[in-house]
Each structure stands twice: as C-alpha cells, then as structure tokens.
Amino acid sequence: MSTSILEIVELPDGDFALRRADDETAPLVRISFSQEARDMMEEQDLTVAKAMMTAGIEAVGNIAHDIDWDEDELEHQPSTHPRTLH
C-alpha cells in the first residue's frame, strides 16, 4: 500500500479541506464553519479545523482493523434505521 502525503488547505470559499498533496481534485474531507462559529472562535478556525481533521484521522486509524471490506457480506446485512450522531 502506498503512502500519501496529506495537506490541509483553505479553499477560496473559506472552507478547510484535507486532501492528498499530489491531488487537487475533490478533497477527502471538507469542513465548513458558519459565520457565527467563526466569530466564536476568534480567528482560531484553522486551529480548530486542524484538530478536527487530526481527530478524524486518528479515529480512522483506530477502527481501520475492524472494517470488513468484503462487499458480499455487506450486501447480506439487514438494513438499519438512520442513526442520530452526537
């Protein structure tokens, strides 16, 4: 498996994105803050976006071994109701 270098960039619309350094197409993750949230963060929005993306990367690393990529098994799982995320 090859290793990609990831970068955090600020997009022209003010959103922050995580993308592969060698790929400027669609980002892997995009974070958009409302103006109210930006005002509360007092110009620390980049710091907060970095923390959010770092936490996400760590979470994926922690659960990656639990993911079963076998599509046949996924097709046979019963459907679930929408979940409320907190």
Side-chain angles (χ1 to χ4, degrees):
M1 179 179 215
S2 66
T3 302
S4 293
I5 296 175
L6 302 176
E7 63 183 1
I8 297 172
V9 297
E10 186 170 3
L11 301 173
D13 64 1
D15 287 356
F16 296 98
L18 178 69
R19 68 179 184 199
R20 290 184 178 87
D22 60 350
D23 184 1
E24 294 188 15
T25 59
L28 301 168
V29 174
R30 184 179 183 129
I31 295 177
S32 177
F33 295 113
S34 69
Q35 188 58 51
E36 181 181 4
R38 287 179 187 273
D39 293 343
M40 286 188 298
M41 288 184 274
E42 298 178 354
E43 298 184 23
Q44 295 299 314
D45 48 347
L46 175 57
T47 302
V48 173
K50 284 181 183 180
M52 292 170 70
M53 289 182 199
T54 299
I57 291 168
E58 289 176 4
V60 168
N62 290 336
I63 64 169
H65 68 280
D66 294 335
I67 297 174
D68 186 355
W69 297 104
D70 186 356
E71 291 181 24
D72 292 334
E73 287 185 25
L74 293 175
E75 291 176 359
H76 298 292
Q77 292 180 356
S79 63
T80 59
H81 297 288
R83 299 181 300 162
T84 300
L85 305 176
H86 301 272

